[in-house]
Amino acid sequence: MIKPLKYSSDFETALDLGRPPNVKKLFPNSKALLVSGKYIDQAMLLKENCMTIAANGRNSFVIKGALSAAQRANAAIMIEIARSEGGTGAYCAVNLWNIARMTDAFMNELGITIPVAIHADHFGIKKLEDIEPAKKEIVSLFDSGITSIAIDASHMPDDQNLLANIELCPYVPGWAGLETEVGEIKGKLGLSTAQEALFLIQGLNAHNIFPNWIALNNGTTHGIEASDTGINVELTAQIHEALSKYKISGAQHGTSGNNSERLREIVSKTRTTKANVATALQMISWGLEVNDYGNAILDNGNFIKQKGRGVSEDMWSQMLAYTKANDLKGGNFKKLNLPFESKLLVQPKEIRDRMAKDVEKFVYDLLTNVFNTTDTAQIVIDEILKNKSHDPGFKAEKIESKDEWTKEKIIEKASNITADKGPAGDFDD
């Protein structure tokens, strides 16, 4: 007979007070401490020189591995999926409407007691026509257990980006974590500027919108990083300093393309509290060899499958055959996730377990040796007990005048911004 877990009185109280209303409604008997992204950001700021992983759950093994690593490190983390990966045109079986349910179930199964936020990443708005249907979709996400969201209208001109955020943010609950973005994530092309970032954050502030995070194009890319150029730490620190009075943290995208030393610099020299990791975790779960950058190592353009690691050798052969039949190369191996999730779940338990275990090892090292996230779980619990609420409130206050940020003035101000957006492209994730 399995003995039931014993939970501390502080944890039980945090569970009662700290879970948002949507989470309580969906999972009334759960022992999983799903919290607002606000609490995760707050804990990193309180510890200082610290950020946590936003683990991109492209498959169930990544989610289980990341949760187990966080439990070992006693670290508060985020589990996320992007709209392109898990939206209505998903290429992953994990999606925006089931990721909270899956995470909650795994936390109960594994006895996970650290706080976790469920983040809808890159909720992309690429044109004006996307705004109206997005309102209904955002509401549905929170109905499904999401506790944090990134409104990403960075593909549009600066004025339209700001106006889209202003129109959509009322559909995000006030207690939820909120991220905004300036500049598409596309490496050294179209780098963000302090002027652009200030324009976005000042305009939001004037309309009583106080994001937890801003994502920049600060030199990284999504997917497989072909060079080691990576994060421009100096640019990031400069922009964060320009925004300091608005008390906004940084969200670092494209983390997989950067080595540990550069990530430590981001931790120590900027206000970044959230680091997205996606491609590296996917590759590790499959058993592919990666370097310190989290990039899959290539041998004559081919990924290196490690024997006895990740998926079975037969399964990897099936996956390679599928990529060949569907002309999937490099970063587009990500499109294996949807057709193969159920096939991966059919594998023997020892193979499924090793897939999650390898993710756990990688994430644990990031949390403890690179991100400085150890023991932030207790900070979240302490803050929930102090606030006696699922909502810690806003960390910023209104500074700007709404009269100076009408639609007409926003358009006028945007016309004076000097920026290089870089070339157009496919920057889905």
Side-chain angles (χ1 to χ4, degrees):
M1 181 177 176
I2 299 174
K3 292 182 179 179
L5 285 171
K6 290 185 178 179
Y7 299 94
S8 70
S9 58
D10 278 358
F11 177 82
E12 293 278 11
T13 304
L15 200 66
D16 179 49
L17 298 174
R19 296 194 305 155
N22 64 335
V23 171
K24 279 191 160 185
K25 182 178 180 181
L26 285 168
F27 316 120
N29 303 310
S30 175
K31 293 293 186 180
L33 186 52
L34 299 184
V35 301
S36 165
K38 285 185 182 182
Y39 270 119
I40 307 297
D41 176 41
Q42 182 185 59
M44 304 307 131
L45 293 172
L46 286 170
K47 183 172 182 182
E48 298 183 339
N49 300 124
C50 166
M51 66 185 180
T52 195
I53 191 171
N56 189 289
R58 288 183 181 175
N59 64 46
S60 54
F61 309 96
V62 166
I63 298 174
K64 293 182 81 168
L67 291 172
S68 297
Q71 183 73 12
R72 283 176 57 200
N74 194 32
I77 66 166
M78 305 181 77
I79 300 292
E80 69 176 24
I81 196 82
R83 193 185 192 191
S84 58
E85 298 161 324
T88 53
Y91 61 77
C92 296
V94 180
N95 62 51
L96 289 166
W97 297 274
N98 67 22
I99 192 168
R101 292 183 182 277
M102 292 178 69
T103 303
D104 181 85
F106 289 147
M107 290 176 73
N108 281 280
E109 173 193 339
L110 300 171
I112 303 294
T113 55
I114 49 94
V116 177
I118 308 296
H119 185 69
D121 194 40
H122 284 299
F123 190 86
I125 304 296
K126 298 189 176 183
K127 55 186 184 299
L128 294 176
E129 292 76 17
D130 292 343
I131 296 174
E132 198 58 39
K135 295 173 182 177
K136 181 171 65 175
E137 191 170 326
I138 289 170
V139 172
S140 78
L141 302 186
F142 286 93
D143 287 344
S144 301
I146 293 293
T147 67
S148 181
I149 189 170
I151 304 293
D152 177 10
S154 63
H155 296 74
M156 301 198 294
D158 290 301
D159 53 347
Q160 292 179 28
N161 182 2
L162 173 54
L163 290 167
N165 272 265
I166 291 170
E167 190 168 349
L168 290 175
C169 281
Y171 295 87
V172 176
W175 55 258
L178 178 63
E179 180 179 336
T180 190
E181 185 164 330
V182 58
E184 297 174 75
I185 310 300
K186 47 184 162 181
K188 63 184 180 180
L189 305 170
L191 289 173
S192 300
T193 66
Q195 185 186 28
E196 290 175 286
L198 272 169
F199 170 81
L200 178 59
I201 299 308
Q202 287 174 336
L204 292 175
N205 183 279
H207 288 263
N208 288 297
I209 299 169
F210 312 113
N212 293 89
W213 303 279
I214 185 170
L216 314 169
N217 179 21
N218 58 353
T220 57
T221 63
H222 290 119
I224 297 171
E225 178 66 78
S227 75
D228 65 353
T229 305
I231 300 168
N232 185 327
V233 179
E234 184 179 343
L235 173 66
T236 308
Q238 174 197 338
I239 293 176
H240 288 185
E241 181 58 32
L243 297 170
S244 60
K245 70 178 180 179
Y246 300 96
K247 298 182 180 179
I248 189 164
S249 303
Q252 183 58 55
H253 293 227
T255 305
S256 299
N258 295 271
N259 65 16
S260 297
E261 197 50 49
R262 189 175 284 124
L263 294 175
R264 289 189 185 99
E265 280 193 73
I266 279 287
V267 170
S268 63
K269 295 180 180 180
T270 76
R271 287 177 58 87
T272 305
T273 63
K274 170 181 179 281
N276 295 9
V277 186
T279 305
L281 304 185
Q282 166 194 277
M283 298 302 197
I284 289 165
S285 75
W286 292 345
L288 305 189
E289 189 174 351
V290 301
N291 59 18
D292 182 51
Y293 288 60
N295 279 337
I297 297 170
L298 299 176
D299 179 18
N300 292 322
N302 299 313
F303 295 119
I304 302 170
K305 169 67 170 68
Q306 301 174 94
K307 192 171 183 180
R309 304 282 288 274
V311 302
S312 69
E313 307 314 309
D314 177 63
M315 184 59 64
W316 183 240
S317 295
Q318 292 182 46
M319 293 167 79
L320 287 179
Y322 185 94
T323 61
K324 187 174 182 180
N326 292 275
D327 195 28
L328 301 179
K329 298 175 182 177
N332 275 329
F333 268 52
K334 64 190 179 184
K335 293 183 179 177
L336 288 168
N337 282 289
L338 183 59
F340 275 87
E341 177 78 2
S342 57
K343 296 178 187 292
L344 300 183
L345 290 168
V346 172
Q347 296 176 110
K349 185 177 185 302
E350 61 268 23
I351 292 177
R352 287 180 273 129
D353 286 349
R354 78 187 187 191
M355 291 173 67
K357 194 67 179 177
D358 279 350
V359 173
E360 178 186 336
K361 290 176 184 176
F362 184 84
V363 173
Y364 181 78
D365 182 66
L366 279 180
L367 294 173
T368 58
N369 295 323
V370 182
F371 291 176
N372 188 32
T373 327
T374 307
D375 292 336
T376 49
Q378 189 59 48
I379 297 175
V380 172
I381 290 173
D382 290 345
E383 288 301 303
I384 290 172
L385 298 179
K386 184 180 78 174
N387 293 319
K388 295 181 172 59
S389 172
H390 59 276
D391 184 2
F394 297 115
K395 58 182 178 177
E397 58 186 20
K398 191 171 184 291
I399 300 172
E400 304 296 330
S401 168
K402 191 173 180 179
D403 291 341
E404 292 301 312
W405 291 88
T406 61
K407 181 177 180 179
E408 293 73 24
K409 290 187 177 181
I410 285 170
I411 293 169
E412 180 186 349
K413 289 175 192 287
S415 68
N416 296 318
I417 293 175
T418 302
D420 174 18
K421 295 290 187 184
D426 178 14
F427 307 106
D428 269 349
D429 295 339

